[in-house]
Amino acid sequence: MQDEPAPEPPTPEDIRARADALRDQKRWAEAEAAYREYLAERPRHWQIHVQLGHTRKEQGDPEGALPHYRRAALLAPDDPDPMLQAGHVLRHLGRGGEAAEALGRALALAPESPDLRHVVALLRHRTLPPPEGPALPPPPRPAGKPTQIAFDVTDLLDYLRAARTPTGIQRVQMGILGALLAAPGRPANLLLVGFEGATWRWWHVDEAAFRHVLALARIGGREDDPAWRSAVAALVAPDARPDAPFLAGGTLCSLGNAWGVQEYFRGLRRLRATTPLRYVAFVHDCVPLAMPEHCLDLTVRLYARWFAALSLHADGILANSRATIADFARFAAPLAKPAPAGLVRLAAEAGASPVAASAAADALPAPRPGEEFVLFVATLESRKNHLMVFQAWLSLIRKLGPERVPRLVCVGRPGWRADAALALLAGSPALRRKVTVQSGVSDLALAGLYDRCLFTVYNSYHEGWGLPVSESLAAGKLAVVPAHSGLLEAGAPGAVFFTPQDEPDLVAKLEALLTEPGHRIALEARIDRAAARRDWPDAAREVLEALANPAEATAPPQPLPLGRHLAMGWRGEGRPSPDMAWAERVRDGLAWWWQEEWGVWTRDGIATLTLPASLPAGTLLRVVLELRGPPRPLALRLRARGARAEAWRGLTLQAGETLRCVLQAEAGPGGLAVDLDSGDGVPLGDRFKRVVGVGLLGVMLCREDDLAARLGALERAEG
């Protein structure tokens, strides 16, 4: 009987295929053994050294993965992947300095990689050189005309990521910026920028992509439309775009809601440290301060912090009405001398083709073609008080009969605290037959609705301006509005005013317009359509005029109040305060996390506090720090920098320990700075996977000879 031939030994390719199959099945230990068997035959195959590192990492041994990634890097010095993998593992291990070095080497090999640029930016706080030398004052604000005008569109891009149909402030931004970018004589130095709070990076927004998205938003459509999603994806991609090319002496202007942007003012301070520029913010209203009960609690708190910080950061303010300017001055008065304010009235553009607008309106579910209706354009939220309008409509139905009451078409997204209004609508069959609520209506279709409606109604507890009122009057249609705030200015060209929150007066005004056509026609004839209709180019010119001719700053930058304890926590105050502004202002550089109720964590590496003081150089100062230990013991180094950098001091904080530390130094040209070096920090164990250093609960700066302040700090320390 003939012996069967012995089976051929597996080739290296067979072994690798088996290892890859085991890896795909997540049988990590077996895959590791197979990869090692392969490398015994092909020891210079660097990609398999990377795979071997992955098997160790997936088995819970990230430290054991590092030698394999480093071996792969030696074998493939021109490929970024081994250093990228090593950097990820080092970040996981909390070795931020080594991670930053590894990822920096990877980026040097692939400088165009958006993913690598992003991850390296996240670790910039470990690659920057430590601060040295005396505490310096911030660079002076520029004088004269701006060398460049940059518009920050961060919040608008955030909105467009999630929605297609603009509302309120987004419509204002898109109208002004669209007009500026399309103007034949536009300034040559105009720039669009965005801010990414996670990496503290200002990036250059592509103008062509921005204009394309604005055009698509104007015509409306589905938010899941592939063309729309593709256009937005091409626009909102900061990692794929270069840094914003700011020029010294320029002006940065935010036309939108910067109060919701993470770490915004710290990003602005960081930008100003290298590029002196002015900052101007558009204040659309002060509703979260004037009417906090009609806003989300988070909105009130964010807005209050932003508003407080304006007192230390803004060189100028733009506002849409005299009422808003008065509100701004009233709420800013306790903070500091208000920044100069310029008036930019909002536009009510009437440039849509009547035929196209009518066709777009006819395509809506309601009203039916030829049906009479009254229009109410506003987000469904408690501040717009749809409930009162619905109750008024129900009163009209009962008084006049349903056949004499037209349909009420409400255009707007459901928003905050609209439950009562929607519950009334849902519970009343008579109301449901006469009221329609719809969102996602394009500007084109909205123009058609204005043209066809009998008149409009706009109810609100408080407004900065009231764009739907201007749009209604510009279309020649009466607007029924309460007589208060910015609505008095928006409605000045011919609105019908009723007593605010007076339902009987509203019903009476509505009944007269519905039952007396001659009365309505006579009032329509008195509308000053020219005054109401202001194209967006008009508003855009006013914006440019205000930015190109700034009021010169007369007061020096404010110093930190001496001798007063400054709590670093975000304690949920709904009113802006100087302490709130300074808690934001004193955090410098990149090595800080966001503020929390109790205080703020530093990151790994060196975090810096800047404490500006207007004192003669050499004045002896004392700073008292209230510190909190992270979840594990931490070795901390601290030093003060005033007239010079003092020697580092060391202390160890136990897990969760709170203590007070006193540092002394002579005042420098900019007051005092404090550096806190937490080394590689410790994992916090939260859902954000943060690595933290020391926590800061509070700080107090005083003259060394201020015995009252020192006694106050001692009493605070004793409870």
Side-chain angles (χ1 to χ4, degrees):
M1 186 174 180
Q2 188 174 6
D3 293 337
E4 293 185 6
E8 293 289 333
T11 65
E13 287 69 23
D14 294 334
I15 299 171
R16 179 184 175 186
R18 176 164 53 88
D20 288 344
L22 292 166
R23 175 203 62 197
D24 295 341
Q25 298 170 42
K26 299 185 179 180
R27 295 160 61 180
W28 303 114
E30 295 169 83
E32 177 188 355
Y35 281 132
R36 290 187 183 278
E37 184 180 350
Y38 173 83
L39 287 172
E41 299 289 333
R42 303 281 174 79
R44 299 189 62 80
H45 194 154
W46 69 267
Q47 290 96 335
I48 303 306
H49 282 283
V50 171
Q51 293 299 322
L52 186 57
H54 291 344
T55 64
R56 293 305 311 154
K57 180 178 66 175
E58 295 295 340
Q59 292 178 79
D61 182 21
E63 193 76 53
L66 284 173
H68 302 295
Y69 295 144
R70 287 168 173 156
R71 174 64 176 162
L74 290 173
L75 294 171
D78 296 328
D79 196 286
D81 188 58
M83 283 292 97
L84 172 63
Q85 302 301 332
H88 284 319
V89 167
L90 288 163
R91 284 184 71 195
H92 174 75
L93 292 171
R95 292 155 63 176
E98 295 175 74
E101 181 182 354
L103 291 166
R105 289 174 57 188
L107 181 63
L109 295 171
E112 301 304 317
S113 167
D115 292 339
L116 265 173
R117 291 220 309 265
H118 182 79
V119 74
V120 169
L122 289 173
L123 288 173
R124 274 191 302 165
H125 66 289
R126 296 305 304 271
T127 60
L128 296 173
E132 296 292 347
L136 300 175
R141 305 289 169 82
K145 290 185 176 294
T147 59
Q148 176 190 66
I149 298 176
F151 289 97
D152 173 23
V153 295
T154 305
D155 68 295
L156 180 56
L157 299 187
D158 287 343
Y159 180 87
L160 293 171
R161 285 184 175 95
R164 179 167 185 168
T165 306
T167 62
I169 293 175
Q170 290 77 35
R171 293 181 67 199
V172 173
Q173 287 179 272
M174 293 167 72
I176 292 175
L177 290 173
L180 283 172
L181 298 176
R186 53 175 277 186
N189 59 354
L190 196 145
L191 183 69
L192 298 180
V193 303
F195 175 68
E196 188 183 34
T199 58
W200 307 278
R201 176 174 172 260
W202 295 89
W203 56 284
H204 190 186
V205 175
D206 181 77
E207 182 181 320
F210 183 81
R211 296 177 68 174
H212 180 49
V213 167
L214 259 59
L216 292 177
R218 181 169 177 75
I219 63 175
R222 293 172 57 92
E223 292 175 0
D224 60 356
D225 172 28
W228 168 256
R229 299 315 315 164
S230 175
V232 171
L235 174 63
V236 295
D239 295 324
R241 296 288 301 159
D243 290 346
F246 286 110
L247 297 179
T251 293
L252 174 64
C253 177
S254 170
L255 293 175
N257 281 336
W259 51 263
V261 180
Q262 178 187 356
E263 300 290 8
Y264 189 80
F265 285 112
R266 191 143 59 98
L268 176 61
R269 291 195 301 276
R270 184 164 172 74
L271 172 62
R272 279 175 158 170
T274 57
T275 310
L277 49 78
R278 293 184 183 89
Y279 175 67
V280 176
F282 200 118
V283 178
H284 293 265
D285 58 61
C286 296
V287 169
L289 305 181
M291 297 274 174
E293 64 274 17
H294 293 293
C295 301
L296 279 166
D297 178 61
L298 179 61
T299 297
V300 174
R301 295 162 72 187
L302 287 172
Y303 188 95
R305 290 176 65 196
W306 171 80
F307 193 94
L310 282 180
S311 66
L312 300 178
H313 294 84
D315 300 289
I317 295 296
L318 300 178
N320 48 19
S321 67
R322 294 183 180 87
T324 299
I325 292 175
D327 283 347
F328 171 78
R330 173 163 59 99
F331 289 112
L335 303 171
K337 181 181 178 180
L343 177 64
V344 178
R345 290 192 302 115
L346 300 189
E349 191 172 27
S353 161
V355 175
S358 178
D362 286 343
L364 296 172
R368 298 184 301 274
E371 181 183 18
E372 290 190 337
F373 67 97
V374 174
L375 185 62
F376 186 0
V377 180
T379 302
L380 271 78
E381 60 185 19
S382 68
R383 179 168 62 94
K384 307 298 184 182
N385 202 358
H386 286 71
L387 177 61
M388 179 174 156
V389 177
F390 289 175
Q391 289 169 333
W393 226 251
L394 197 54
S395 296
L396 290 168
I397 293 170
R398 290 168 177 165
K399 182 176 182 179
L400 303 177
E403 68 281 353
R404 297 183 65 192
V405 178
R407 180 174 298 280
L408 176 66
V409 176
C410 299
V411 174
R413 292 173 172 268
W416 171 240
R417 289 181 178 166
D419 297 349
L422 294 176
L424 177 63
L425 180 59
S428 170
L431 205 55
R432 289 202 305 274
R433 286 191 289 270
K434 286 294 183 178
V435 175
T436 299
V437 176
Q438 52 191 340
S439 59
V441 176
S442 70
D443 282 359
L444 193 61
L446 186 58
L449 292 177
Y450 278 125
D451 185 61
R452 284 179 44 196
C453 71
L454 292 172
F455 57 88
T456 71
V457 61
Y458 189 82
N459 193 25
S460 174
Y461 284 100
H462 194 89
E463 286 296 321
W465 176 258
L467 190 57
V469 176
S470 297
E471 292 172 332
S472 176
L473 297 174
K477 298 303 173 72
L478 292 171
V480 181
V481 298
H484 63 61
S485 63
L487 293 174
L488 290 169
E489 296 169 62
V496 175
F497 290 104
F498 65 92
T499 304
Q501 312 315 319
D502 186 335
E503 185 182 333
D505 190 35
L506 171 61
V507 171
K509 295 292 194 304
L510 293 172
E511 182 181 356
L513 294 176
L514 293 175
T515 61
E516 303 174 32
H519 172 63
R520 186 176 72 243
I521 292 171
L523 290 178
E524 281 182 354
R526 300 175 186 174
I527 295 174
D528 188 345
R529 296 181 66 174
R533 179 183 296 147
R534 244 168 62 88
D535 290 344
W536 285 117
D538 296 329
R541 280 191 292 273
E542 287 186 358
V543 169
L544 278 181
E545 175 69 19
L547 298 179
N549 299 283
E552 295 300 330
T554 56
Q558 297 182 54
L560 177 71
L562 296 179
R564 192 163 74 194
H565 174 263
L566 177 63
M568 293 300 296
W570 180 19
R571 304 190 185 279
E573 301 96 332
R575 291 281 176 170
S577 67
D579 284 359
M580 190 184 292
W582 279 108
E584 159 59 45
R585 166 65 179 82
V586 297
R587 292 178 301 145
D588 197 16
L590 305 180
W592 293 92
W593 290 109
W594 53 81
Q595 288 175 285
E596 301 179 45
E597 293 285 344
W598 61 268
V600 59
W601 290 114
T602 65
R603 296 165 66 94
D604 53 329
I606 300 176
T608 296
L609 284 168
T610 57
L611 308 173
S614 181
L615 292 169
T619 302
L620 191 58
L621 296 176
R622 167 179 291 225
V623 59
V624 181
L625 305 172
E626 297 182 33
L627 305 176
R628 172 180 173 179
R632 299 179 190 172
L634 177 77
L636 176 69
R637 296 195 309 153
L638 312 91
R639 70 173 178 186
R641 286 184 293 111
R644 58 189 172 276
E646 304 293 334
W648 288 98
R649 293 174 49 186
L651 60 88
T652 299
L653 287 100
Q654 299 305 315
E657 177 185 14
T658 60
L659 58 80
R660 286 161 179 80
C661 177
V662 176
L663 299 175
Q664 295 169 298
E666 294 179 356
L672 203 67
V674 177
D675 301 320
L676 303 102
D677 184 359
S678 297
D680 279 330
V682 301
L684 184 58
D686 66 347
R687 65 189 181 94
F688 303 104
K689 300 181 179 179
R690 286 184 289 172
V691 174
V692 303
V694 66
L696 183 64
L697 294 95
V699 61
M700 190 274 287
L701 178 69
C702 70
R703 298 172 61 112
E704 180 64 25
D705 58 6
D706 187 345
L707 299 182
R710 292 173 57 178
L711 179 59
L714 181 61
E715 290 176 342
R716 180 177 177 83
E718 292 177 347

